[in-house]
Structures are given as structure tokens and as C-alpha cells.
Amino acid sequence: MQRRHTRPIYLGGVQIGGGAPVSVQSMTNTDTRDVRATLDQIHRLVRAGCEIVRVAVPDLQAARALKEIKTGCPIPLVADIHFDYRLALAALDSGVDGLRINPGNIGGRERVAAVVDAARKRRVPIRIGVNAGSLEKDLLAEHGGPTPRAMVESALRHIRLLEEMDYRDIKVSLKASDVPVMLEAYRLLARQVDYPFHVGVTEAGTVRSGTIKSAVGIGALLAQGIGDTIRVSLTGDPVEEVRVGYEILKALGLRRRGIELISCPTCGRTCIDLERIALEVEERLSWVDKPLKVAVMGCAVNGPGEASHADVGIAGGKGFGLLFRGGCIVGRVREQDLVDALVREVENILSSEK
């Protein structure tokens, strides 16, 4: 897979673009003014593999709270700013690693320049966040709605504004809840600029429907080499956003983190409760952060062979199952003990690698 060439920027210690691995980020849904709750959620996100975290900054109290949050945050912290340029300045004073703004809604040129100057002094990148749901009225009128070309024109307008201020520490997002619109917007802009892209489907939906929309939208762009950092937008616990993000990257071979679960769809030969077992395995091994292929197969006859590329796995028979490692059978286990045996084998693999 040939990735699009982009210039690198740095959010704290995380490189975005310039050939760096596609990073996974999320956004807290706590009240930013509640420092303890926000930090607790950030640490849960970090344990799931989150590499960049964004927080909403609705008022000055939230902007000032960022100073304490930054002190306890182990990953780069991005402030999400709308409408009031003073909040961006206050967030920078609090030590954030990045800003997400829409230059068109934080005031006139002088106010944008004030934010850019402060960001430049602190070497803080700015994400130009274009959203189909909040495009400028003149562009909506000109293009007849939030079309891909309208989104790209909005992005270029903001990019040129920052470039005129000799500021190029930029990444760009072109988000829409309509997947085809989002895909076309990113493709159009990718031909015109070399800034790194933050990719996502905005307002994607619940964990179930939003995961599917995000996998299609984000996955389609990544498969074409477009995308330098991703955020999966789901209604619910943001930890799920991180998990889904890694699953998308793992499916494309772009990142490997945690277990990659291989499980068969079941058929008439299945003699064990494979769905329950697979779900239990996934849950009990969710703590693993080392790359590991784990198979849960329903047929003891063909299972080990079909999953021979897995690092470890189980294959069910009638009332029992086979435990295999590296394609070789290493044990015969009662059905009720299969998950425990598999978890122990994973622990043995991980401990032997230390």
C-alpha cells in the first residue's frame, strides 16, 4: 500500500504525517472543567492504546482547567475550540499540544493572527477542522449545499489564510456523516495539498452502526494511502473509538496492537457454543497490547489447519476442544475449560517474550 506523501508535524512527541504510523486518537466526553473525571477517562483511553486525546473547551473555566489536565495527561492534549479566539489563547497558555479550530468561526483576520502567533511561539500545530454541517453560508449557496467541492473550498480558504501568515504547522480534516461525501472531499483535497490529514466520519452513530460507517469511510481512504491520524466518532464510551480504530488499522495491515481475533462464522458442524466462547475470549484478552493472532474455531477437524497462521487458538469438538499453538495441537480440553486454557496459553506466550 503506497501512502500519500505528506509533510510531518508534531503533536508533543507524536509525529503525524511524513511516513509516520497512522496514529489513533479520541475525544473525551466528560465535562472538561471536572479535571478528575477527565483525567480518569484519559487514562482509560491510554490503556486502550489512544495516542492523542482531544477535549472540548466551551468556556474560560474549561480552558484554565487544561493546565492541570495537561500535567496529568501522558499523551498529547488537543484543545477543541469554537467561536471564541480567546479560548484558543487561554488553551495555549495552559500548555496544550495542539489546537482544533475552524478559522472561519473564531473571528476576523486579526483574531486568527493572534492565535497563529501564539501557536507559532509554542510550536503548537493547528488542525483546520472542516465539517459538512457547519460550512460557510456563501459556500453553501454557491455549491447548493454541503458538497465535497464546497468542503474543499472551505478548507483551502482556511489553509491560504494561515499560509499568508507564514504558518504551515497544519493538519486538515474534512468530516461528514455522509460517507461518499467525506470520501470525495478528502480525495479532492489530497490532490492539491501535502498537509497531513486527520480522517474520520463525523457523527457516525452508535457503536454498532457507527463502527460500520467508520470502517467503510476511514478504511476506504486508508486503503488508498490517504490518512495520517484517525478518530472513530461513536455515540458512547470513547474507549470503543480507540478499539475500533485499531481494528480498522489491523484489518489493513497498517498497525498491529493487541489481539487479532480470528473466529469462524459457524456451520452445521459446530458442536460448541462458539459465539459465547469467542465473545468471552475477546473480553478476557482485551488487556493484551502485544500483537497476537488468536483463533476461535468451531470444528476440531479443520479448525487448526484453517487457522494455522494464528499464534494460538482453540477448535471445538463435541464436548471438548483442541488447543493449538503455531498450527500444532498442544492439548485436548473439555469445552467448559477451553477459554481458561486459551488464556493461560496466551499468558505463557507473553511471559516467554519478556
Side-chain angles (χ1 to χ4, degrees):
M1 187 183 302
Q2 177 117 14
R3 291 182 59 195
R4 168 177 166 260
H5 173 75
T6 58
R7 64 174 68 198
I9 65 169
Y10 295 87
L11 279 170
V14 176
Q15 179 180 329
I16 298 173
V22 179
S23 54
V24 176
Q25 56 181 280
S26 185
M27 185 173 183
T28 59
N29 58 13
T30 57
D31 184 338
T32 306
R33 293 164 295 196
D34 187 337
V35 173
R36 185 71 265 153
T38 301
L39 280 174
D40 285 347
Q41 189 170 82
I42 287 172
H43 285 285
R44 289 180 58 236
L45 289 166
V46 171
R47 286 194 294 273
C50 187
E51 295 166 306
I52 299 164
V53 65
R54 181 161 44 111
V55 296
V57 185
D59 57 29
L60 193 56
Q61 185 182 351
R64 288 171 176 162
L66 293 175
K67 188 169 186 177
E68 189 175 350
I69 292 170
K70 172 60 182 171
T71 301
C73 182
I75 57 177
L77 181 68
V78 177
D80 190 90
I81 308 292
H82 287 280
F83 307 118
D84 191 341
Y85 82 106
R86 293 170 299 182
L87 298 180
L89 295 176
L92 289 167
D93 283 341
S94 291
V96 297
D97 301 290
L99 291 177
R100 185 273 187 185
I101 62 172
N102 182 331
N105 74 15
I106 64 168
R109 186 183 181 91
E110 289 184 3
R111 293 179 175 181
V112 173
V115 173
V116 167
D117 287 344
R120 181 187 289 113
K121 289 174 184 174
R122 294 168 173 80
R123 298 183 178 179
V124 171
I126 293 174
R127 169 159 72 97
I128 295 173
V130 175
N131 194 308
S134 57
L135 288 178
E136 297 94 319
K137 291 181 180 178
D138 66 314
L139 293 178
L140 292 172
E142 179 185 346
H143 293 274
T147 66
R149 291 192 180 278
M151 294 174 65
V152 169
E153 190 169 335
S154 176
L156 289 173
R157 178 181 292 181
H158 301 323
I159 288 169
R160 291 185 189 115
L161 177 62
L162 298 192
E163 287 179 339
E164 287 169 5
M165 298 175 183
D166 197 27
Y167 184 86
R168 290 174 173 77
D169 207 1
I170 300 167
K171 69 178 187 291
V172 186
S173 64
L174 297 158
K175 293 190 177 182
S177 58
D178 184 302
V179 172
V181 168
M182 163 261 199
L183 290 175
E184 184 61 15
Y186 276 108
R187 289 169 181 153
L188 286 171
L189 189 61
R191 301 176 195 140
Q192 301 183 60
V193 300
D194 67 350
Y195 293 110
F197 285 170
H198 168 122
V199 172
V201 180
T202 193
E203 299 148 3
T206 61
V207 171
R208 181 177 178 180
S209 61
T211 292
I212 294 169
K213 284 182 74 172
S214 296
V216 171
I218 295 172
L221 288 173
L222 292 174
Q224 296 172 59
I226 298 174
D228 303 282
T229 183
I230 64 171
R231 189 254 172 130
V232 177
S233 299
L234 300 176
T235 304
D237 187 343
V239 169
E240 289 301 318
E241 298 182 350
V242 178
R243 291 173 178 167
V244 173
Y246 275 106
E247 290 301 322
I248 294 171
L249 294 176
K250 282 190 284 187
L252 290 165
L254 290 170
R255 295 287 297 272
R256 290 197 69 198
R257 184 188 189 279
I259 71 163
E260 179 182 347
L261 184 66
I262 302 161
S263 61
C264 64
T266 74
C267 68
R269 289 191 299 271
T270 306
C271 299
I272 60 173
D273 188 354
L274 191 69
E275 181 181 4
R276 177 191 62 78
I277 290 172
L279 289 171
E280 186 178 349
V281 167
E282 188 172 49
E283 179 61 31
R284 288 183 60 179
L285 294 179
S286 62
W287 58 272
V288 177
D289 57 6
K290 295 289 180 65
L292 204 65
K293 286 190 177 183
V294 178
V296 178
M297 310 300 288
C299 176
V301 177
N302 298 322
E306 292 172 348
S308 59
H309 56 291
D311 296 296
V312 64
I314 50 178
K318 192 169 184 178
F320 74 98
L322 300 176
L323 176 68
F324 56 93
R325 180 172 169 175
C328 299
I329 297 171
V330 294
R332 187 176 186 275
V333 186
R334 294 184 306 169
E335 178 180 345
Q336 58 266 40
D337 299 325
L338 275 173
V339 176
D340 288 338
L342 179 59
V343 171
R344 280 195 302 271
E345 196 66 24
V346 168
E347 290 171 344
N348 290 338
I349 292 173
L350 296 177
S351 63
S352 68
E353 293 177 351
K354 289 182 180 178

Short mmCIF file of all heavy atoms in Angstrom, two decimals, residues 1-9 14-25 51-52 171 186 190-191 193-199 218-230 248-249 252-256:
data_model
loop_
_atom_site.label_atom_id
_atom_site.label_comp_id
_atom_site.label_asym_id
_atom_site.label_seq_id
_atom_site.Cartn_x
_atom_site.Cartn_y
_atom_site.Cartn_z
N MET A 1 0.85 -1.19 0.00
CA MET A 1 0.00 0.00 0.00
C MET A 1 0.89 1.25 0.00
O MET A 1 1.71 1.44 0.89
CB MET A 1 -0.88 -0.01 1.25
CG MET A 1 -1.92 1.08 1.28
SD MET A 1 -2.84 1.04 2.84
CE MET A 1 -3.48 -0.64 2.80
N GLN A 2 0.75 2.09 -1.02
CA GLN A 2 1.54 3.31 -1.12
C GLN A 2 0.81 4.44 -0.43
O GLN A 2 -0.27 4.84 -0.84
CB GLN A 2 1.77 3.68 -2.59
CG GLN A 2 2.50 4.96 -2.75
CD GLN A 2 3.84 4.78 -3.42
OE1 GLN A 2 4.12 3.76 -3.97
NE2 GLN A 2 4.67 5.77 -3.33
N ARG A 3 1.38 4.98 0.63
CA ARG A 3 0.74 6.06 1.36
C ARG A 3 1.05 7.40 0.72
O ARG A 3 2.13 7.61 0.18
CB ARG A 3 1.18 6.05 2.82
CG ARG A 3 0.65 4.85 3.61
CD ARG A 3 1.07 4.91 5.05
NE ARG A 3 0.59 6.13 5.71
CZ ARG A 3 1.06 6.56 6.87
NH1 ARG A 3 2.01 5.88 7.49
NH2 ARG A 3 0.57 7.66 7.42
N ARG A 4 0.10 8.30 0.80
CA ARG A 4 0.25 9.66 0.28
C ARG A 4 1.41 10.35 1.00
O ARG A 4 1.52 10.28 2.22
CB ARG A 4 -1.06 10.40 0.49
CG ARG A 4 -1.03 11.90 0.29
CD ARG A 4 -2.43 12.47 0.47
NE ARG A 4 -2.40 13.93 0.61
CZ ARG A 4 -2.48 14.57 1.76
NH1 ARG A 4 -2.61 13.88 2.90
NH2 ARG A 4 -2.44 15.89 1.80
N HIS A 5 2.22 11.05 0.22
CA HIS A 5 3.34 11.79 0.83
C HIS A 5 2.81 13.06 1.48
O HIS A 5 2.12 13.87 0.85
CB HIS A 5 4.37 12.16 -0.24
CG HIS A 5 5.45 13.06 0.28
ND1 HIS A 5 6.47 12.59 1.09
CD2 HIS A 5 5.65 14.38 0.14
CE1 HIS A 5 7.26 13.60 1.41
NE2 HIS A 5 6.79 14.69 0.85
N THR A 6 3.11 13.22 2.76
CA THR A 6 2.68 14.42 3.48
C THR A 6 3.84 14.98 4.30
O THR A 6 4.76 14.25 4.68
CB THR A 6 1.50 14.12 4.44
OG1 THR A 6 1.90 13.10 5.38
CG2 THR A 6 0.29 13.66 3.69
N ARG A 7 3.77 16.27 4.57
CA ARG A 7 4.80 16.89 5.42
C ARG A 7 4.54 16.50 6.87
O ARG A 7 3.38 16.34 7.27
CB ARG A 7 4.78 18.40 5.26
CG ARG A 7 3.51 19.06 5.70
CD ARG A 7 3.63 20.58 5.66
NE ARG A 7 3.73 21.07 4.30
CZ ARG A 7 4.18 22.29 3.98
NH1 ARG A 7 4.58 23.10 4.95
NH2 ARG A 7 4.24 22.69 2.74
N PRO A 8 5.56 16.34 7.67
CA PRO A 8 5.36 15.94 9.07
C PRO A 8 5.03 17.13 9.97
O PRO A 8 5.52 18.24 9.76
CB PRO A 8 6.70 15.32 9.45
CG PRO A 8 7.69 16.05 8.59
CD PRO A 8 6.99 16.36 7.29
N ILE A 9 4.20 16.89 10.96
CA ILE A 9 4.01 17.82 12.06
C ILE A 9 4.14 17.01 13.35
O ILE A 9 4.13 15.78 13.32
CB ILE A 9 2.64 18.54 12.01
CG1 ILE A 9 1.49 17.53 12.19
CG2 ILE A 9 2.48 19.31 10.72
CD1 ILE A 9 0.14 18.20 12.41
N VAL A 14 4.43 12.94 19.32
CA VAL A 14 3.83 12.10 18.29
C VAL A 14 3.95 12.77 16.93
O VAL A 14 3.45 13.89 16.73
CB VAL A 14 2.35 11.80 18.60
CG1 VAL A 14 1.71 11.00 17.47
CG2 VAL A 14 2.22 11.05 19.92
N GLN A 15 4.60 12.10 15.99
CA GLN A 15 4.70 12.61 14.63
C GLN A 15 3.46 12.21 13.85
O GLN A 15 3.00 11.08 13.91
CB GLN A 15 5.94 12.07 13.93
CG GLN A 15 6.08 12.56 12.48
CD GLN A 15 7.31 12.02 11.79
OE1 GLN A 15 8.33 11.78 12.43
NE2 GLN A 15 7.23 11.84 10.48
N ILE A 16 2.93 13.16 13.09
CA ILE A 16 1.79 12.91 12.21
C ILE A 16 2.22 13.27 10.80
O ILE A 16 2.69 14.38 10.55
CB ILE A 16 0.56 13.74 12.63
CG1 ILE A 16 0.12 13.34 14.04
CG2 ILE A 16 -0.58 13.54 11.65
CD1 ILE A 16 -0.98 14.21 14.60
N GLY A 17 2.04 12.35 9.89
CA GLY A 17 2.47 12.57 8.51
C GLY A 17 3.95 12.28 8.34
O GLY A 17 4.63 11.82 9.26
N GLY A 18 4.44 12.51 7.13
CA GLY A 18 5.86 12.28 6.87
C GLY A 18 6.25 10.82 6.96
O GLY A 18 7.41 10.50 7.26
N GLY A 19 5.31 9.92 6.73
CA GLY A 19 5.61 8.49 6.78
C GLY A 19 5.48 7.85 8.14
O GLY A 19 5.73 6.65 8.29
N ALA A 20 5.07 8.62 9.15
CA ALA A 20 4.89 8.05 10.49
C ALA A 20 3.69 7.10 10.50
O ALA A 20 2.78 7.23 9.68
CB ALA A 20 4.67 9.17 11.51
N PRO A 21 3.67 6.13 11.42
CA PRO A 21 2.50 5.25 11.53
C PRO A 21 1.21 6.06 11.73
O PRO A 21 1.24 7.12 12.36
CB PRO A 21 2.82 4.39 12.76
CG PRO A 21 4.30 4.44 12.89
CD PRO A 21 4.72 5.80 12.40
N VAL A 22 0.12 5.56 11.19
CA VAL A 22 -1.17 6.22 11.37
C VAL A 22 -1.53 6.15 12.85
O VAL A 22 -1.63 5.07 13.43
CB VAL A 22 -2.27 5.54 10.53
CG1 VAL A 22 -3.62 6.23 10.76
CG2 VAL A 22 -1.91 5.56 9.05
N SER A 23 -1.71 7.30 13.47
CA SER A 23 -1.98 7.35 14.91
C SER A 23 -3.49 7.28 15.17
O SER A 23 -4.31 7.65 14.34
CB SER A 23 -1.39 8.62 15.53
OG SER A 23 -1.84 9.76 14.85
N VAL A 24 -3.82 6.80 16.37
CA VAL A 24 -5.22 6.64 16.79
C VAL A 24 -5.51 7.64 17.89
O VAL A 24 -4.79 7.72 18.89
CB VAL A 24 -5.48 5.21 17.29
CG1 VAL A 24 -6.90 5.07 17.82
CG2 VAL A 24 -5.22 4.20 16.17
N GLN A 25 -6.57 8.41 17.71
CA GLN A 25 -6.95 9.37 18.73
C GLN A 25 -8.42 9.30 19.07
O GLN A 25 -9.19 8.61 18.41
CB GLN A 25 -6.55 10.79 18.31
CG GLN A 25 -7.11 11.26 16.98
CD GLN A 25 -6.62 12.68 16.70
OE1 GLN A 25 -7.16 13.66 17.22
NE2 GLN A 25 -5.60 12.79 15.85
N GLU A 51 -3.42 7.49 21.40
CA GLU A 51 -2.12 8.16 21.28
C GLU A 51 -2.22 9.68 21.31
O GLU A 51 -1.22 10.36 21.54
CB GLU A 51 -1.45 7.70 19.98
CG GLU A 51 -1.12 6.22 20.02
CD GLU A 51 -0.76 5.65 18.66
OE1 GLU A 51 -1.56 5.80 17.71
OE2 GLU A 51 0.32 5.03 18.55
N ILE A 52 -3.40 10.21 21.06
CA ILE A 52 -3.66 11.66 21.11
C ILE A 52 -5.08 11.82 21.65
O ILE A 52 -5.98 11.08 21.24
CB ILE A 52 -3.57 12.30 19.72
CG1 ILE A 52 -2.18 12.12 19.11
CG2 ILE A 52 -3.95 13.78 19.76
CD1 ILE A 52 -2.13 12.38 17.61
N LYS A 171 -2.63 20.46 10.10
CA LYS A 171 -3.25 19.25 9.57
C LYS A 171 -4.71 19.58 9.30
O LYS A 171 -5.25 20.56 9.81
CB LYS A 171 -3.09 18.05 10.50
CG LYS A 171 -3.84 18.07 11.80
CD LYS A 171 -3.57 16.75 12.54
CE LYS A 171 -4.40 16.59 13.80
NZ LYS A 171 -4.04 17.50 14.88
N TYR A 186 -12.01 14.31 0.78
CA TYR A 186 -10.60 14.00 1.08
C TYR A 186 -9.81 13.72 -0.20
O TYR A 186 -8.67 14.17 -0.35
CB TYR A 186 -10.51 12.80 2.01
CG TYR A 186 -10.67 13.13 3.48
CD1 TYR A 186 -11.82 12.77 4.18
CD2 TYR A 186 -9.65 13.77 4.19
CE1 TYR A 186 -11.96 13.04 5.53
CE2 TYR A 186 -9.79 14.05 5.54
CZ TYR A 186 -10.95 13.70 6.20
OH TYR A 186 -11.08 13.98 7.55
N ALA A 190 -6.62 15.91 -1.39
CA ALA A 190 -5.34 15.21 -1.41
C ALA A 190 -4.53 15.53 -2.65
O ALA A 190 -3.30 15.44 -2.65
CB ALA A 190 -5.57 13.70 -1.30
N ARG A 191 -5.22 15.91 -3.74
CA ARG A 191 -4.53 16.24 -4.98
C ARG A 191 -3.96 17.66 -4.97
O ARG A 191 -3.21 18.03 -5.87
CB ARG A 191 -5.50 16.11 -6.16
CG ARG A 191 -6.10 14.72 -6.34
CD ARG A 191 -7.12 14.72 -7.46
NE ARG A 191 -7.95 13.50 -7.42
CZ ARG A 191 -9.25 13.48 -7.65
NH1 ARG A 191 -9.89 14.62 -7.96
NH2 ARG A 191 -9.93 12.36 -7.59
N VAL A 193 -2.92 19.59 -1.82
CA VAL A 193 -2.04 20.00 -0.73
C VAL A 193 -1.28 18.79 -0.20
O VAL A 193 -1.66 17.64 -0.45
CB VAL A 193 -2.84 20.65 0.43
CG1 VAL A 193 -3.58 21.89 -0.04
CG2 VAL A 193 -3.81 19.65 1.07
N ASP A 194 -0.19 19.07 0.53
CA ASP A 194 0.58 17.96 1.11
C ASP A 194 0.51 17.97 2.64
O ASP A 194 1.33 17.34 3.31
CB ASP A 194 2.03 18.00 0.65
CG ASP A 194 2.81 19.20 1.16
OD1 ASP A 194 2.17 20.13 1.73
OD2 ASP A 194 4.04 19.25 0.98
N TYR A 195 -0.47 18.66 3.20
CA TYR A 195 -0.63 18.66 4.65
C TYR A 195 -1.18 17.31 5.11
O TYR A 195 -1.96 16.66 4.38
CB TYR A 195 -1.59 19.77 5.09
CG TYR A 195 -1.03 21.15 4.85
CD1 TYR A 195 -1.55 21.97 3.87
CD2 TYR A 195 0.05 21.62 5.61
CE1 TYR A 195 -1.03 23.24 3.64
CE2 TYR A 195 0.58 22.89 5.39
CZ TYR A 195 0.04 23.69 4.39
OH TYR A 195 0.57 24.93 4.17
N PRO A 196 -0.78 16.84 6.29
CA PRO A 196 -1.32 15.58 6.79
C PRO A 196 -2.82 15.70 7.08
O PRO A 196 -3.31 16.77 7.41
CB PRO A 196 -0.53 15.33 8.07
CG PRO A 196 0.01 16.66 8.47
CD PRO A 196 0.21 17.44 7.22
N PHE A 197 -3.51 14.56 6.94
CA PHE A 197 -4.96 14.52 7.11
C PHE A 197 -5.35 13.78 8.39
O PHE A 197 -4.83 12.70 8.67
CB PHE A 197 -5.64 13.82 5.93
CG PHE A 197 -5.71 14.65 4.67
CD1 PHE A 197 -6.11 14.05 3.48
CD2 PHE A 197 -5.38 15.99 4.67
CE1 PHE A 197 -6.18 14.79 2.31
CE2 PHE A 197 -5.45 16.75 3.50
CZ PHE A 197 -5.86 16.14 2.31
N HIS A 198 -6.26 14.38 9.12
CA HIS A 198 -6.97 13.72 10.22
C HIS A 198 -8.26 13.19 9.60
O HIS A 198 -9.07 13.97 9.09
CB HIS A 198 -7.25 14.76 11.31
CG HIS A 198 -8.21 14.30 12.37
ND1 HIS A 198 -7.86 14.26 13.71
CD2 HIS A 198 -9.50 13.91 12.32
CE1 HIS A 198 -8.90 13.85 14.41
NE2 HIS A 198 -9.90 13.65 13.59
N VAL A 199 -8.44 11.88 9.63
CA VAL A 199 -9.55 11.24 8.91
C VAL A 199 -10.59 10.69 9.86
O VAL A 199 -10.26 10.08 10.89
CB VAL A 199 -9.00 10.11 8.00
CG1 VAL A 199 -10.14 9.31 7.39
CG2 VAL A 199 -8.13 10.70 6.89
N ILE A 218 -13.26 5.41 6.78
CA ILE A 218 -11.84 5.52 7.12
C ILE A 218 -11.04 4.46 6.37
O ILE A 218 -9.97 4.75 5.82
CB ILE A 218 -11.64 5.38 8.64
CG1 ILE A 218 -12.31 6.55 9.37
CG2 ILE A 218 -10.16 5.33 8.99
CD1 ILE A 218 -12.34 6.41 10.88
N GLY A 219 -11.57 3.24 6.34
CA GLY A 219 -10.85 2.15 5.68
C GLY A 219 -10.65 2.38 4.20
O GLY A 219 -9.58 2.08 3.65
N ALA A 220 -11.67 2.94 3.53
CA ALA A 220 -11.55 3.20 2.09
C ALA A 220 -10.44 4.19 1.79
O ALA A 220 -9.66 4.02 0.85
CB ALA A 220 -12.88 3.71 1.53
N LEU A 221 -10.34 5.24 2.61
CA LEU A 221 -9.29 6.24 2.40
C LEU A 221 -7.91 5.67 2.72
O LEU A 221 -6.95 5.85 1.96
CB LEU A 221 -9.55 7.48 3.26
CG LEU A 221 -10.72 8.36 2.81
CD1 LEU A 221 -10.97 9.46 3.83
CD2 LEU A 221 -10.45 8.98 1.44
N LEU A 222 -7.80 4.97 3.85
CA LEU A 222 -6.51 4.39 4.22
C LEU A 222 -6.02 3.39 3.17
O LEU A 222 -4.82 3.31 2.89
CB LEU A 222 -6.61 3.70 5.58
CG LEU A 222 -6.82 4.62 6.80
CD1 LEU A 222 -7.04 3.78 8.05
CD2 LEU A 222 -5.63 5.55 7.00
N ALA A 223 -6.95 2.65 2.59
CA ALA A 223 -6.57 1.67 1.56
C ALA A 223 -6.01 2.35 0.32
O ALA A 223 -5.27 1.74 -0.46
CB ALA A 223 -7.78 0.82 1.18
N GLN A 224 -6.34 3.64 0.14
CA GLN A 224 -5.79 4.42 -0.98
C GLN A 224 -4.57 5.24 -0.55
O GLN A 224 -4.08 6.07 -1.31
CB GLN A 224 -6.86 5.36 -1.52
CG GLN A 224 -8.05 4.62 -2.12
CD GLN A 224 -9.18 5.58 -2.47
OE1 GLN A 224 -9.00 6.50 -3.27
NE2 GLN A 224 -10.33 5.38 -1.90
N GLY A 225 -4.12 5.03 0.69
CA GLY A 225 -2.94 5.73 1.17
C GLY A 225 -3.23 7.10 1.74
O GLY A 225 -2.30 7.87 2.01
N ILE A 226 -4.51 7.43 1.94
CA ILE A 226 -4.90 8.75 2.44
C ILE A 226 -5.24 8.66 3.92
O ILE A 226 -6.13 7.89 4.30
CB ILE A 226 -6.10 9.31 1.66
CG1 ILE A 226 -5.74 9.50 0.19
CG2 ILE A 226 -6.59 10.62 2.26
CD1 ILE A 226 -6.91 9.91 -0.70
N GLY A 227 -4.56 9.43 4.74
CA GLY A 227 -4.85 9.44 6.17
C GLY A 227 -3.59 9.29 7.00
O GLY A 227 -2.79 8.37 6.77
N ASP A 228 -3.41 10.19 7.97
CA ASP A 228 -2.22 10.17 8.81
C ASP A 228 -2.54 9.98 10.28
O ASP A 228 -1.71 9.52 11.05
CB ASP A 228 -1.45 11.48 8.62
CG ASP A 228 -1.07 11.71 7.17
OD1 ASP A 228 -0.10 11.08 6.71
OD2 ASP A 228 -1.77 12.48 6.48
N THR A 229 -3.74 10.33 10.67
CA THR A 229 -4.23 10.08 12.02
C THR A 229 -5.74 9.90 11.92
O THR A 229 -6.38 10.50 11.04
CB THR A 229 -3.86 11.21 13.00
OG1 THR A 229 -4.30 10.87 14.32
CG2 THR A 229 -4.47 12.53 12.59
N ILE A 230 -6.34 9.06 12.77
CA ILE A 230 -7.77 8.77 12.65
C ILE A 230 -8.46 8.93 14.00
O ILE A 230 -7.88 8.73 15.05
CB ILE A 230 -8.03 7.36 12.10
CG1 ILE A 230 -7.52 6.28 13.07
CG2 ILE A 230 -7.41 7.19 10.73
CD1 ILE A 230 -7.93 4.86 12.69
N ILE A 248 -9.59 -1.26 12.56
CA ILE A 248 -9.52 -0.80 11.17
C ILE A 248 -8.08 -0.86 10.66
O ILE A 248 -7.81 -1.36 9.56
CB ILE A 248 -10.09 0.63 11.04
CG1 ILE A 248 -11.59 0.65 11.35
CG2 ILE A 248 -9.83 1.19 9.64
CD1 ILE A 248 -12.19 2.03 11.48
N LEU A 249 -7.16 -0.36 11.45
CA LEU A 249 -5.75 -0.36 11.04
C LEU A 249 -5.20 -1.78 10.93
O LEU A 249 -4.43 -2.08 10.01
CB LEU A 249 -4.92 0.45 12.03
CG LEU A 249 -5.22 1.96 12.08
CD1 LEU A 249 -4.40 2.62 13.19
CD2 LEU A 249 -4.93 2.62 10.75
N LEU A 252 -6.15 -3.57 7.71
CA LEU A 252 -5.41 -3.12 6.53
C LEU A 252 -3.91 -3.38 6.64
O LEU A 252 -3.15 -3.03 5.74
CB LEU A 252 -5.65 -1.62 6.31
CG LEU A 252 -7.06 -1.25 5.87
CD1 LEU A 252 -7.30 0.25 6.02
CD2 LEU A 252 -7.29 -1.67 4.42
N GLY A 253 -3.49 -3.98 7.76
CA GLY A 253 -2.08 -4.26 7.95
C GLY A 253 -1.24 -3.03 8.22
O GLY A 253 -0.02 -3.05 8.02
N LEU A 254 -1.87 -1.94 8.69
CA LEU A 254 -1.15 -0.69 8.94
C LEU A 254 -0.59 -0.60 10.35
O LEU A 254 0.39 0.09 10.59
CB LEU A 254 -2.07 0.51 8.66
CG LEU A 254 -2.42 0.74 7.20
CD1 LEU A 254 -3.51 1.78 7.06
CD2 LEU A 254 -1.18 1.15 6.41
N ARG A 255 -1.25 -1.21 11.30
CA ARG A 255 -0.78 -1.24 12.69
C ARG A 255 -1.11 -2.61 13.27
O ARG A 255 -2.08 -3.25 12.88
CB ARG A 255 -1.48 -0.17 13.54
CG ARG A 255 -1.20 1.26 13.18
CD ARG A 255 0.20 1.72 13.56
NE ARG A 255 0.47 1.71 14.97
CZ ARG A 255 0.22 2.70 15.82
NH1 ARG A 255 -0.36 3.81 15.38
NH2 ARG A 255 0.55 2.62 17.09
N ARG A 256 -0.31 -3.02 14.23
CA ARG A 256 -0.61 -4.24 14.98
C ARG A 256 -0.53 -3.93 16.46
O ARG A 256 0.52 -3.54 16.96
CB ARG A 256 0.38 -5.36 14.62
CG ARG A 256 0.21 -5.93 13.22
CD ARG A 256 0.90 -7.27 13.11
NE ARG A 256 0.22 -8.29 13.91
CZ ARG A 256 0.78 -9.45 14.28
NH1 ARG A 256 2.02 -9.71 13.96
NH2 ARG A 256 0.09 -10.31 14.99
#
